Amino acid sequence: MQTFSNHPTGLLPVEENYDPNKPTIKEFYKGRDIFITGGTGFMGKVLIEKLLRSCSGVNRIFLLLREKKSKTMENRLREIQELALFEVLRKQDPNALSKMIPIKGDVSQLGLGISSEDRKRMSEVSVIFHVAANVRFDDTLKDAVILNTRGTREMIHFAETLKNLCVMMHVSTTYSNPDKYVIEEKIYPPYADWEKTIKLAETMDEQTLETFAPKYMGMLPNTYVFTKSLAEHIINDHKDKLPLILFRPSIVISSMRDPIPGWIDNFNGPVGLLVGSGIGICRTMYCDPNNVADYTPVDVCIKAMIVAAWKKGTAVIQRTPISPESPQLPVYNCCISNLRNCTMSQIVEMGKVLSNDIPLDRCVWAPGGGITQIKLLNTIRVVLYHIMPAILLDVLLRATGQKPFVAKLQRKIYNANVALEYFIHNNWDFRNDNFIHLASEIKPEDNKDFYYRDFIEFDITLYFRNCILGARRYLLHEKDENLPRALKHYRRMKILDKVCKLLIVTGFLYLVLIKSDLLGLSLYMASYKTEYDLQR
């Protein structure tokens, strides 16, 4: 199998700057009540599993959950616990799952929708991870402000009621200031007043708000980054009153190795591109092929979150004075692109190569296509390679009594590409000194469970191989034992692809050269024929 460059752009020396007087990470979390929002999301699930497995001494983990029409909180909690993600924990300590306590509530409601009884139950909470957010790029300004911005304010209000709070982490995004191409680990000037914006969202009707939203957001590309940026300023405005941390991950994708390689529960980022290409339905993309894809393995991100909370929490407990080098509000840009470069073209090529070894059962055509920076060419490719085949496949599915889905899927792919257009046509220089230095403060006895800088040396080809295997298992629910059958199907698709291309080229040549007699005219003009009938 072809391999891709595994050399990072800058190897870091292994440093040890730990304080021997600090408790270990496991000692810090022992006996603590933890509150997590966004526990049903990708990062939230991995955070819960890691805390229960590697910090087995935690007392309780309270999870803010919404009840849905078709599912109760208990059902939703059971679904999380039955995921393959928790398989290692279920074997090691099945009783640990009982520490997950569902709390009925909603980040989009005032007071987080938490009852007074549940507030009393959580009175001993000392660590908060605020992970909940609406990550949709096409959300209305009103909805995005209510959940992402006002929800953060409500979380701050809740934190102020906790007498034992020693740390609260707010999870933002490295793209919260996208109009700046060098993003440092600091707070930038606000794009709007967060208090006034929340008031507008609460009092103004949605249609009116949407009318002036583009002008109100200025140069920002969508409501997600705008409202996440405002939320950062809520955190910054309360840094003197509460022990807060601002944590900014980049694109978070499949796990590197912990607890299992390749675990993922969504099609976001490069994994979605690999799956779409592997199935054969994604054959063109409008972006800069040299654009750097800034992704972070989810287990790297979660380890850093736990370590950052430990550092802040122990400083609060030990009443460590804040030095001039340590700001009141620690900011961490959790990203690795300056250490491990991977361009969009490399991901596409890697996907093509890996498809030869790990094809997908649902492959509808041989993987192919590529990236283009020419918008018109991309539009033509979308029509020829996406829309027309989708219509044809859906007609065949209807004819065989099956439910058509390809056209609907292609529409989602197209909308996703449009939403991501701003991000895949620009590059950012994310500075991550705090994030990198944090790893050196981990005590030696915690390195096995929490050291995260090993991503620098990790084999990138192996990583993406695990990503595709993980997508097969956890997204497409395909079994590993079906790989031989999938390989046979994949080879048939490649043969069919070549035959179809040959027929198309042959038909084109026949129409152009024979039917229109362009061949005869060419031979005549080249003087290989003595005469040519121009009346034909």
Side-chain angles (χ1 to χ4, degrees), residues 520-536:
L521 178 60
S522 300
L523 292 172
Y524 170 74
M525 294 180 67
S527 300
Y528 287 104
K529 287 181 67 176
T530 56
E531 59 181 21
Y532 182 78
D533 185 3
L534 293 174
Q535 300 301 318
R536 292 183 61 179

Side-chain angles (χ1 to χ4, degrees), residues 242-286:
L242 292 169
L244 300 171
I245 300 174
L246 184 58
F247 194 85
R248 295 175 179 153
S250 61
I251 302 169
V252 182
I253 60 171
S254 311
S255 59
M256 190 169 70
R257 57 161 66 97
D258 191 23
I260 48 178
W263 191 82
I264 194 169
D265 73 347
N266 62 79
F267 290 98
N268 296 338
V271 175
L273 180 60
L274 290 174
V275 172
S277 300
I279 292 175
I281 60 174
C282 184
R283 312 189 72 81
T284 184
M285 191 173 189
Y286 174 53

Side-chain angles (χ1 to χ4, degrees), residues 187-191 194 229-238:
I187 297 293
Y188 288 92
Y191 299 102
W194 62 265
S229 174
L230 293 182
E232 288 191 1
H233 285 276
I234 298 176
I235 299 298
N236 189 53
D237 288 351
H238 291 83

Side-chain angles (χ1 to χ4, degrees), residues 147-159:
L147 200 148
N148 293 339
T149 309
R150 193 181 76 173
T152 302
R153 184 196 69 184
E154 296 305 297
M155 179 57 69
I156 288 288
H157 290 341
F158 173 75

